[in-house]
Amino acid sequence: MFRSILSARTFRNQQQQWCHKLSTDAKAAPAPVPVVVKKSGAGFFQRVSSFVVGAGLSALASQYYIYQELVAGNEIILKKQKGLELRLNKLENK
């Protein structure tokens, strides 16, 4: 009889220790943090503004190069025009 009481007490003590361990483990574990899902990629406004900026910069660069070509072309045409006028004056003077 003494042995059964002792084993019942030890069983109860072990059970209490086990329950206490579970309750302390549950308290120590942090609450799960909700996962926030971010949108990947750029939004519509950002894409449109990037397109407008890119198109504007390429238009400015194209305009600059076209202007430079026009200036150089005009200089060449003016030189040829002067050369033709000189040749024409020489022919008229003969």
Side-chain angles (χ1 to χ4, degrees), residues 18-52:
W18 184 71
C19 287
H20 179 69
K21 184 178 179 185
L22 283 178
S23 66
T24 56
D25 286 348
K27 289 178 187 175
V33 179
V35 178
V36 178
V37 179
K38 285 184 149 183
K39 289 192 319 184
S40 62
F44 178 74
F45 181 72
Q46 187 176 4
R47 290 179 187 208
V48 169
S49 63
S50 295
F51 172 76
V52 169

